[in-house]
Amino acid sequence: GLDDVRILQNFQGVSVMEIAEGENGWSVVVDSPFNRRIHHNTPMTFDGPAAGHDLLKTEADPTGMASLGTFNNCGSGRTPWGTYLTCEENFNGYFGANGDLPGGMVGDGFRRYGIGADGWGYDYHKWDARFDVSANPNEPHRAGYIVEIDPANPESTPVKHTALGRFKHENAAYGIAADGRVAVYMGDDERGEFMYRWLSRDVYVPGEDTSTLLSEGTLSVAVFEDDMSGRWVPLTPATTGMDAAHIAVFTRMAASR
């Protein structure tokens, strides 16, 4: 029932915990104000080109800006500026349908991501209408992102960075380029899919504003040639024939064209 679904939704996600070293080694500071759970119903927001797009709007959130929860979190780690990135991987398994599955472009995306009527046995859709894609076809579009969490600010809202693409994020491995810009390398943990690179527009300066580093820049897809060479192809309207917001929401579809 719904009570069981709520238990499942609350014990999956990310935990932020303060630890301290004592006489017996490291342990969790149980009463720390930094400790918090980030789960399937935690309020989040979007930034980047897809924020506010029609495909992110639902009846509960007509703005397309206020997502709930982070799902099937895979490779995660610290950024140079002290926040935490977590990757939404196989989010498709949480969704199902009590009625007909959507058609058209949305239906094509569902088939490619593996969203079906039965889900993976979590059965959220049977008790929580948010996960019933026949009633809320845009809800899965709100998952599949790199999510940034600020562990030092327990009042902060996690941010889903649409500029880094939407797919089954396996990882987000960063490096600082020679010119000071941030490069993030990402893999799609779906069979036969792609590898991506994000390159920030602005340089990283320790102690300075970092708010644009994962929202303003260029996302590229790796193309490997038969002669073992490769190149990065920017996912721009010019290379894909799609507008920028659709590129962020349907990165995998755009990259395959």
Side-chain angles (χ1 to χ4, degrees), residues 118-194:
D118 297 330
W120 286 359
Y122 296 104
D123 285 348
Y124 286 7
H125 64 286
K126 295 179 181 179
W127 309 98
D128 186 343
R130 182 159 75 95
F131 296 88
D132 177 3
V133 299
S134 61
N136 290 292
N138 277 351
E139 189 65 38
H141 300 155
R142 287 148 46 102
Y145 300 96
I146 299 293
V147 183
E148 185 172 17
I149 298 166
D150 185 354
N153 181 2
E155 302 302 318
S156 63
T157 300
V159 178
K160 294 194 173 189
H161 292 297
T162 69
L164 273 63
R166 175 179 173 262
F167 48 90
K168 294 182 180 179
H169 283 276
E170 171 67 24
N171 69 306
Y174 76 84
I176 304 299
D179 63 3
R181 291 185 292 170
V182 176
V184 182
Y185 297 90
M186 299 169 286
D188 186 341
D189 197 34
E190 177 65 45
R191 187 174 299 165
E193 292 299 335
F194 298 90

Side-chain angles (χ1 to χ4, degrees), residues 29-45:
V29 181
V30 176
D31 59 351
S32 170
F34 297 107
N35 296 349
R36 59 172 167 154
R37 284 284 299 140
I38 296 170
H39 48 71
H40 289 180
N41 290 298
T42 299
M44 302 193 176
T45 190

